[in-house]
Amino acid sequence: MDLISRVGLLVVALIAVFGIILALQHTASAGPLTEQQAEQLVVTDLQKSYQGATVSVINVTRSPVQSGAWRITVLLVLDPTSPCPSVSIEGFDYPATRLVPSSYNNYTTSAHGCTVYSGGGAVGSSEMSAEIAIAMSYHDYFPTIMSYVDDYGYGNMDVHATLCSNPSDAWLVNYSAPAANKPLYVLMHQNGTIIGTSSIPQC
């Protein structure tokens, strides 16, 4: 081995050792991961992975998986203003399982049509989120709703839901599209039964 090769190997070895020393110093000086740091890392990763998604932190506790880790539980909503938002609750034990969910519960999905699951007590209860109410109104394939979405296009819909004050056990779901002359309002019981549709709000 000539002199140049030996010097090159020595330089590479010194760089590697120096890099390891810096990494160890950084880890030692960084200290334990705080609740806020873990929460921010999980939320930021989900927002990068799912453009346009809404991410809401539901709970943060110490992780039972590993000492020093945090369990961050989030509500993840994909396509929140579409006729069928995908709604799930995900739990992350960070950094124990890195950014891979440790627990996962789907409430709705638009992967194959529009499916609404009844797990977790969210569907049909006063705890139901607006996004689940939107999906429930679309998932029953009510003729007036399907005609409106077909006429103006699924991708052109802007859908929102609000809990009514009168009647207090109902949701008002508002479908609108830029090309439509008027919106479509859907009045729906919290159990998912559609009361009726109209072009003006009914609650």
Side-chain angles (χ1 to χ4, degrees):
M1 186 180 284
D2 63 2
L3 183 60
I4 294 175
S5 297
R6 289 180 186 169
V7 170
L9 284 174
L10 181 61
V11 169
V12 169
L14 287 173
I15 290 172
V17 169
F18 183 68
I20 291 169
I21 290 169
L22 280 178
L24 289 173
Q25 284 177 340
H26 176 71
T27 303
S29 65
L33 187 69
T34 68
E35 176 181 335
Q36 291 77 19
Q37 289 170 327
E39 180 181 320
Q40 187 59 48
L41 285 164
V42 168
V43 170
T44 301
D45 181 69
L46 287 170
Q47 288 171 336
K48 284 181 183 175
S49 299
Y50 303 103
Q51 295 294 319
T54 59
V55 182
S56 306
V57 175
I58 298 170
N59 193 25
V60 182
T61 59
R62 288 284 184 186
S63 171
V65 175
Q66 182 184 65
S67 176
W70 296 93
R71 172 156 295 172
I72 298 103
T73 306
V74 300
L75 175 69
L76 175 65
V77 183
L78 308 180
D79 301 320
T81 59
S82 73
C84 189
S86 291
V87 181
S88 62
I89 290 181
E90 299 187 12
F92 296 84
D93 288 286
Y94 189 82
T97 59
R98 300 189 184 266
L99 294 168
V100 177
S102 305
S103 58
Y104 189 86
N105 191 6
N106 271 335
Y107 290 105
T108 70
T109 182
S110 59
H112 304 288
C114 187
T115 306
V116 178
Y117 304 100
S118 60
V123 176
S125 76
S126 59
E127 305 293 315
M128 181 171 60
S129 73
E131 292 84 5
I132 294 173
I134 291 169
M136 287 183 75
S137 74
Y138 183 72
H139 136 94
D140 275 344
Y141 302 104
F142 198 76
T144 311
I145 299 170
M146 298 311 292
S147 294
Y148 190 87
V149 173
D150 289 345
D151 287 348
Y152 300 107
Y154 182 96
N156 297 321
M157 290 292 116
D158 187 26
V159 190
H160 299 275
T162 54
L163 199 54
C164 290
S165 55
N166 185 24
S168 60
D169 66 340
W171 284 91
L172 183 67
V173 184
N174 176 5
Y175 287 76
S176 62
N181 295 330
K182 54 191 175 183
L184 175 68
Y185 291 96
V186 179
L187 190 62
M188 182 181 74
H189 284 298
Q190 286 186 6
N191 65 9
T193 304
I194 292 174
I195 300 166
T197 61
S198 68
S199 58
I200 56 171
Q202 296 293 317
C203 77

